[in-house]
Amino acid sequence: MVEQLAMSIVWLLVSMIFCSGFASNGASTTNVSTRPDVVKLGAIFSFDTLIGKVAKVAIEAAVEDVNSDPSVLGGTKMKVTMQDSNYSGLLGLIEALRFMEEDTMAIIGPLNAVTAHILSHIANELLVPLVSFSVTDPTLSALQFPFFVRTVQNGLYQMAAIADMVDYYGWREVIALYVDDDHGRNGITALSNKLAEKRCRISYKAPLVLDSNRDSITDVLVKVGLTESRIIVVHAYDSWGSLVFEVAKYLGMMGTGYVWIATSWLSTLIDTNSPLPSGTIDDMQGVLTLRMYTPETELKRKFVSRWSNLTSGRTSKGPMGLNAYGLYAYDTVWLLAHAINAFFDQGGNLSFSNDSRLTQLRGGDLNLDALSIFNGGNLFLKNILQVNMTGVSGQIMFTPQKDLVHPALEIINVIGSGIRKVGYWSNFSGLSVVPPETLYTKAPNHSNSSDKLYGVVWPGQTTQKPRGWVFPNNGRHLRFGVSRRVSFREFVSYTDGNDMFTGYCIDVFTAALNSLPYAVPYKLIPFGDGHKNPSVTELVHKIQTGEFDGAISDIAITTNRTRMADFTQPYIESGLVVVASVTPTLNSNPWAFLRPFSPMMWGVTAAFFVIVGTVVWILEHRQNDEFRGPPKRQLVTILWFSFSTWFFAHRENTVSTLGRLVLIIWLFVVLIINSSYTASLTSILTVQRLSSSIKGLEDLLSSNDPIGYQQGSFARNYLIDELNVDESRLVPLITPEDYAKALKDGPHKGGVTAVIDERAFIELFLASRCEFSVVGQEFTKTGWGFAFARDSPLAVDLSTAILKLSENGDLQRIYDKWLIRTPCASNGGKLQVDRLQLKSFKGLFIICGAACFLALAIYFCIMLRQFSRHYTEELVSTGGSTSARVQTFLTFVDEKEEEVKSRSKRRRMERLSNRSADDEAMSSSKRRHLDQSSSSPTFDNGNPA
């Protein structure tokens, strides 16, 4: 009633006074100097709460510290008037209006979200900043309430941390236990959104009245105990939150299997009243709670050491601890002091104005005409948001969204007589055991692999992580729908009268269920009329509509069905195959000798014969007379040499090293191909085989013959939707006898060409029917699983149980019991073409091709070297063109190597002979010159001798 009255008053004020905003054209009531002697601030909160008691001391200490340091405000003193709202939103509103009458620059507080929502409307109109160190409500948006400034961490981050914890431990559903007011509802809404990001959800919301007592808490917890989830998030107030755990312990809800996660109210209670009474701490053993993280700085250590002196003698109940809200309250005063100093440094004037319209309300008991607008409110707000300081709680700086930077929380586990820290959370790197400030130097990492927490002691004094859910204790058995099959009753069989189910699927389900570490109350409900096989897709759809909690049958896991329900791990592999009539025959086809190789294999093999022959001819042409001669003869030699290697009957000898290397590798390839061909042809001609008019799905789709399928199977929709088979071609069949008759009759006698069904059924069908066989390849890959309602934890647990059955051999033993049949099992194998494919010999051809290429490359390099040695001088002397050089090179390559060497030798001898003649001529010339010199007269001192 008080809250409703307060809201009525505020909306009355907004509609009558502030709907259009206050104008600044009224008379000025206060006009002081730029830097006054005293600045007035107000503070509104409940003094008797855990947060209020600590905050009052912290604010008083901060005001004293600010005023004792003249460098902060330049000689101006700060005066903070604190008023006790006494848990009342109405009193908080009235006290705020009184502050507005006294020209207050800013208001510190309030403590709770309800009052904050009310006062934020007034702050917006009067331009007076409302600075709260305790309201974490994430819905107090900076867009809607620009003059509301939060100097504490946004509660949105606390809910993000809880969502990360739930995801880290692998849970999917939680129960929200919360106080039914703005603080509780808005916080749980934020938690729901954060859980949805992790594909988790709140399965049950349990609101508590604002003034909860033992009876109201008991009523709510009894309902919680009947639900499925065992992960309980408590978002309450510290005044009665501990009573929740006391009642929970009384109801047996603090034992093994439960998980309790409390928001920061519990850490506040522990920090402020530590040590807690032994009875209280015993009630909350194993609980996880969050504490707003403040780094260990020198400022914080000094303030903590002062705390005992600041609080001594204030309470009669012993020492009062310091909680995180006290640190934020202390920093809030310093934040405002820095903002006030910046405000005056920028020429801000402490002036207030009235609106002329308020004079119409003069004379009323509310004295509303005395309310004034802070003219410098916008500038002051700007200075507040621009503050960047280091306080006792860490760095004080605002993001563009007006939240504090670097939000982080500690995750605490209540153990024994105290608490133990198990890790941290920050929006920078998620969960971690490393303090957040250490991680700020690294790149942000939110991957699951980086998430880590220390071990937790859970309720019940266990270190094993709770599963997080149980079957609800409301007496209801789980309803599992089971197909009432008419055919292939080895899988599922229903007996009328005693409502008994037997079969392979039932035994697997029962064995998996029995291996779970808990009992599952359930009831099997038959689905179908007993005259035809029911549609499995319709059975799964019944889970989606809520008629069944799960389904047990031959349920193939298909895309369409996964949209309706969750499935377990497959317990048997299956897939669609084609079954047709076959007859045992020997291959008497006149062209059977071509069957061992596929057409592609024949083509590639023939091409390589020619390629290898050509390569060997190139390598041998200049040295080997057997690879020389007229062009026609050389072509015949290439072809003869190539194909004669198939029989190893080639008569030509190879003399070059490269030619022999290529030939050795090719003969090895021929040996492998020849052996494979011989073995395959022998098998085709001598072994009795099953032949069919169709070879697989492709032949079936290309014809217009009727196709049979099992009634109720997904094969019908698959053929129509995926393979575009005309519906008129599809013939529904029920029993194995129907399969056999339709296949024997064939398409010309009212039967079918083939039947398409799942492999599991076909293997059972073929076990005693040798005249039919699987043809072609299996063209879908699926498996059978059990279906459950969306997000059912049973699907996960049963998947684990199925894997255990597979590992210990129980799954195979159940298969052998129901599905192994000995007669004709060997003849029911898959019919396939016995042709050898190119991919089987791909490696051999690659090796041979690489050898040919490498040999040609080496040979070409050798030819270039020899050509440059024998023909360079001639080409230089003649100065031939490029075409002439190419023609000369081709002529050189075509010549026999011996001729080239012989001609080169003759030219060398000629050059030597010419050089000798020249030398002899020069010697003669020199002798003649000497003779002439000796026959000339001799002179002495210019006179003849």
Side-chain angles (χ1 to χ4, degrees):
M1 293 297 294
V2 174
E3 180 181 343
Q4 293 177 354
L5 179 60
M7 290 300 296
S8 299
I9 292 175
V10 72
W11 287 119
L12 176 63
L13 291 173
V14 173
S15 61
M16 294 179 60
I17 305 172
F18 310 125
C19 58
S20 301
F22 283 95
S24 60
N25 58 351
S28 176
T29 60
T30 303
N31 192 357
V32 297
S33 62
T34 303
R35 186 162 304 257
D37 295 333
V38 177
V39 291
K40 296 179 182 179
L41 301 176
I44 305 172
F45 53 88
S46 299
F47 294 168
D48 199 31
T49 61
L50 286 181
I51 298 176
K53 290 187 294 184
V54 174
K56 189 173 186 296
V57 177
I59 291 174
E60 291 174 350
V63 172
E64 182 180 350
D65 293 343
V66 169
N67 289 333
S68 63
D69 188 352
S71 64
V72 179
L73 289 176
T76 301
K77 298 296 183 182
M78 176 186 288
K79 180 181 179 182
V80 179
T81 303
M82 290 184 281
Q83 296 294 341
D84 187 1
S85 61
N86 198 21
Y87 300 96
S88 172
L90 177 60
L91 291 179
L93 172 62
I94 293 174
E95 295 299 339
L97 294 176
R98 287 180 178 176
F99 284 135
M100 303 302 180
E101 297 174 1
E102 299 175 358
D103 300 339
T104 302
M105 285 189 71
I107 297 177
I108 301 174
L111 290 185
N112 60 71
V114 177
T115 309
H117 276 276
I118 298 173
L119 298 185
S120 294
H121 289 283
I122 300 176
N124 284 353
E125 300 296 339
L126 299 181
L127 309 183
V128 177
L130 184 66
V131 186
S132 177
F133 57 85
S134 62
V135 175
T136 61
D137 184 358
T139 63
L140 284 165
S141 167
L143 294 176
Q144 184 181 6
F145 304 113
F147 277 81
F148 175 80
V149 180
R150 194 195 321 268
T151 57
V152 69
Q153 293 182 22
N154 193 327
L156 182 67
Y157 299 116
Q158 187 170 193
M159 299 309 170
I162 295 176
D164 281 354
M165 291 166 59
V166 171
D167 181 61
Y168 171 76
Y169 288 112
W171 301 316
R172 285 293 172 262
E173 295 183 356
V174 303
I175 294 174
L177 192 69
Y178 61 97
V179 60
D180 193 16
D181 66 354
D182 288 352
H183 170 71
R185 288 191 299 269
N186 296 336
I188 295 303
T189 300
L191 174 62
S192 178
N193 295 336
K194 290 298 180 181
L195 287 171
E197 295 176 4
K198 304 292 183 180
R199 300 190 66 182
C200 305
R201 68 186 184 97
I202 298 176
S203 60
Y204 182 72
K205 292 183 179 181
L208 292 163
V209 296
L210 189 60
D211 299 322
S212 292
N213 53 33
R214 189 180 187 88
D215 291 338
S216 61
I217 293 174
T218 301
D219 292 341
V220 171
L221 288 183
V222 168
K223 297 176 182 177
V224 169
L226 296 176
T227 59
E228 182 178 280
S229 177
R230 286 295 180 262
I231 314 299
I232 305 172
V233 177
V234 184
H235 189 46
Y237 289 121
D238 52 63
S239 57
W240 49 265
S242 58
L243 184 58
V244 172
F245 298 115
E246 181 182 340
V247 175
K249 186 174 182 180
Y250 173 77
L251 295 176
M253 299 173 66
M254 295 299 296
T256 304
Y258 281 89
V259 175
W260 292 83
I261 303 175
T263 51
S264 59
W265 66 265
L266 181 55
S267 63
T268 302
L269 174 67
I270 295 173
D271 292 340
T272 309
N273 291 340
S274 182
L276 292 175
S278 59
T280 303
I281 201 73
D282 288 344
D283 292 338
M284 55 183 69
Q285 289 295 301
V287 175
L288 291 176
T289 184
L290 300 174
R291 174 199 285 157
M292 284 177 287
Y293 176 73
T294 54
E296 296 297 328
T297 61
E298 186 63 26
L299 284 175
K300 179 181 176 181
R301 282 191 288 269
K302 290 181 179 179
F303 186 71
V304 171
S305 64
R306 292 174 54 195
W307 186 252
S308 59
N309 295 329
L310 292 173
T311 57
S312 60
R314 286 182 174 269
T315 62
S316 59
K317 299 180 181 179
M320 179 172 58
L322 175 63
N323 56 49
Y325 293 100
L327 300 176
Y328 286 114
Y330 182 85
D331 284 344
T332 299
V333 175
W334 276 94
L335 168 75
L336 291 173
H338 286 292
I340 291 171
N341 186 57
F343 173 76
F344 289 131
D345 285 346
Q346 296 174 15
N349 191 21
L350 189 61
S351 62
F352 296 84
S353 301
N354 291 335
D355 189 285
S356 58
R357 291 173 297 176
L358 289 178
T359 57
Q360 302 175 5
L361 302 175
R362 184 173 298 169
D365 294 336
L366 294 177
N367 197 25
L368 297 178
D369 59 318
L371 300 178
S372 56
I373 302 172
F374 181 20
N375 295 329
N378 288 310
L379 178 61
F380 186 40
L381 175 64
K382 179 181 178 181
N383 287 314
I384 290 175
L385 298 176
Q386 289 179 345
V387 169
N388 184 1
M389 57 171 270
T390 300
V392 295
S393 62
Q395 185 179 11
I396 304 297
M397 182 180 175
F398 295 97
T399 67
Q401 293 76 32
K402 298 185 180 180
D403 289 329
L404 289 180
V405 296
H406 302 323
L409 298 121
E410 295 176 273
I411 302 171
I412 296 170
N413 187 201
V414 180
I415 304 174
S417 59
I419 58 176
R420 174 175 171 266
K421 190 182 303 179
V422 297
Y424 305 89
W425 179 93
S426 71
N427 70 329
F428 183 78
S429 58
L431 299 174
S432 174
V433 294
V434 181
E437 64 268 17
T438 304
L439 298 175
Y440 292 147
T441 59
K442 304 176 182 179
N445 186 2
H446 287 271
S447 64
N448 291 334
S449 60
S450 65
D451 289 347
K452 186 178 180 182
L453 295 175
Y454 291 121
V456 175
V457 178
W458 305 99
Q461 299 298 312
T462 178
T463 57
Q464 183 178 0
K465 185 199 75 174
R467 186 175 66 250
W469 69 279
V470 295
F471 284 101
N473 298 322
N474 52 13
R476 188 180 75 88
H477 284 62
L478 296 179
R479 294 168 55 86
F480 295 134
V482 185
S483 291
R484 193 175 178 182
R485 295 193 57 84
V486 177
S487 61
F488 297 105
R489 294 167 64 88
E490 291 87 351
F491 293 98
V492 177
S493 177
Y494 175 70
T495 304
D496 290 321
N498 57 5
D499 291 337
M500 289 291 295
F501 288 93
T502 57
Y504 170 73
C505 299
I506 302 298
D507 280 6
V508 172
F509 177 78
T510 304
L513 215 59
N514 291 338
S515 66
L516 297 180
Y518 51 88
V520 180
Y522 68 95
K523 184 178 181 181
L524 301 182
I525 310 297
F527 176 75
D529 56 10
H531 300 293
K532 60 182 181 179
N533 292 329
S535 171
V536 178
T537 302
E538 290 184 10
L539 173 60
V540 176
H541 182 67
K542 295 290 184 182
I543 301 175
Q544 188 179 29
T545 60
E547 184 173 339
F548 294 136
D549 297 300
I552 307 167
S553 184
D554 49 297
I555 308 175
I557 305 174
T558 63
T559 303
N560 184 41
R561 293 170 183 173
T562 55
R563 298 190 182 103
M564 305 178 189
D566 285 348
F567 285 85
T568 63
Q569 172 80 15
Y571 57 88
I572 186 174
E573 292 184 358
S574 187
L576 294 179
V577 293
V578 179
V579 178
S581 299
V582 293
T583 55
T585 61
L586 288 175
N587 200 329
S588 57
N589 191 322
W591 298 99
F593 68 91
L594 295 176
R595 289 181 58 82
F597 288 165
S598 65
M600 180 62 72
M601 180 64 183
W602 279 117
V604 172
T605 303
F608 261 83
F609 272 111
V610 177
I611 292 172
V612 171
T614 303
V615 170
V616 173
W617 176 83
I618 293 174
L619 299 175
E620 294 289 324
H621 178 67
R622 300 184 73 244
Q623 304 179 32
N624 197 335
D625 291 334
E626 295 183 355
F627 289 89
R628 298 186 62 81
K632 182 177 180 181
R633 177 186 171 187
Q634 295 182 49
L635 179 61
V636 172
T637 301
I638 291 174
L639 296 177
W640 164 254
F641 178 82
S642 300
F643 291 102
S644 63
T645 55
W646 175 269
F647 310 101
F648 303 97
H650 52 285
R651 295 175 299 178
E652 294 78 9
N653 293 322
T654 53
V655 297
S656 67
T657 303
L658 293 176
R660 289 175 177 177
L661 176 64
V662 171
L663 185 60
I664 289 173
I665 295 176
W666 173 243
L667 291 178
F668 175 74
V669 174
V670 169
L671 176 64
I672 300 299
I673 294 175
N674 200 356
S675 302
S676 302
Y677 175 85
T678 304
S680 180
L681 182 61
T682 302
S683 175
I684 291 173
L685 296 178
T686 60
V687 177
Q688 179 174 287
R689 299 195 169 273
L690 301 176
S691 63
S692 173
S693 58
I694 61 173
K695 305 304 179 185
L697 181 65
E698 293 76 10
D699 293 345
L700 199 59
L701 296 178
S702 62
S703 69
N704 292 319
D705 295 335
I707 304 172
Y709 69 94
Q710 183 181 173
Q711 187 180 57
S713 170
F714 77 96
R716 178 181 182 277
N717 291 335
Y718 182 85
L719 291 171
I720 296 174
D721 299 335
E722 303 296 333
L723 302 181
N724 299 318
V725 176
D726 192 277
E727 187 176 358
S728 60
R729 295 179 58 191
L730 301 181
V731 179
L733 306 171
I734 300 178
T735 64
E737 290 73 21
D738 295 338
Y739 285 21
K741 183 178 185 303
L743 289 171
K744 288 179 180 178
D745 291 344
H748 303 294
K749 296 182 179 180
V752 297
T753 300
V755 172
I756 293 181
D757 202 357
E758 297 179 66
R759 173 169 287 280
F761 295 115
I762 294 305
E763 288 178 349
L764 197 61
F765 169 72
L766 297 176
S768 57
R769 296 172 175 84
C770 303
E771 65 272 26
F772 309 108
S773 179
V774 175
V775 295
Q777 301 286 337
E778 184 176 348
F779 55 93
T780 65
K781 293 289 185 181
T782 59
W784 290 0
F786 303 118
F788 294 93
R790 281 287 191 190
D791 300 322
S792 173
L794 192 58
V796 178
D797 285 1
L798 216 60
S799 293
T800 304
I802 291 173
L803 290 175
K804 290 180 180 178
L805 292 178
S806 177
E807 292 170 358
N808 61 25
D810 288 344
L811 197 61
Q812 183 62 42
R813 283 189 283 272
I814 297 174
Y815 180 87
D816 295 343
K817 172 186 175 182
W818 289 99
L819 304 180
I820 288 296
R821 298 291 185 271
T822 53
C824 242
S826 60
N827 292 339
K830 180 171 65 176
L831 181 67
Q832 60 183 0
V833 178
D834 295 299
R835 290 185 170 182
L836 298 174
Q837 302 295 325
L838 175 62
K839 61 183 179 180
S840 301
F841 303 91
K842 187 176 180 180
L844 289 173
F845 286 124
I846 290 176
I847 294 173
C848 185
C852 292
F853 177 80
L854 182 61
L856 288 176
I858 296 174
Y859 179 76
F860 182 72
C861 293
I862 295 173
M863 289 298 99
L864 287 177
R865 182 172 175 272
Q866 292 180 358
F867 178 72
S868 63
R869 186 173 62 188
H870 294 296
Y871 280 85
T872 302
E873 295 180 1
E874 289 81 351
L875 292 175
V876 171
S877 61
T878 58
S881 62
T882 302
S883 60
R885 289 172 179 266
V886 173
Q887 185 176 1
T888 304
F889 177 73
L890 294 177
T891 303
F892 167 76
V893 172
D894 185 58
E895 286 183 305
K896 192 173 182 180
E897 188 173 0
E898 294 178 358
E899 295 177 0
V900 174
K901 289 181 179 180
S902 177
R903 184 171 61 252
S904 178
K905 185 176 180 180
R906 287 196 304 270
R907 289 177 179 174
R908 190 162 55 249
M909 293 297 293
E910 290 175 357
R911 285 196 298 268
L912 291 175
S913 177
N914 293 335
R915 188 178 302 168
S916 298
D918 292 341
D919 291 343
E920 184 177 355
M922 290 179 64
S923 298
S924 306
S925 176
K926 287 181 179 180
R927 284 195 301 269
R928 286 195 301 271
H929 179 70
L930 290 174
D931 291 341
Q932 291 174 1
S933 298
S934 62
S935 62
S936 300
T938 304
F939 292 88
D940 183 17
N941 295 327
N943 298 315

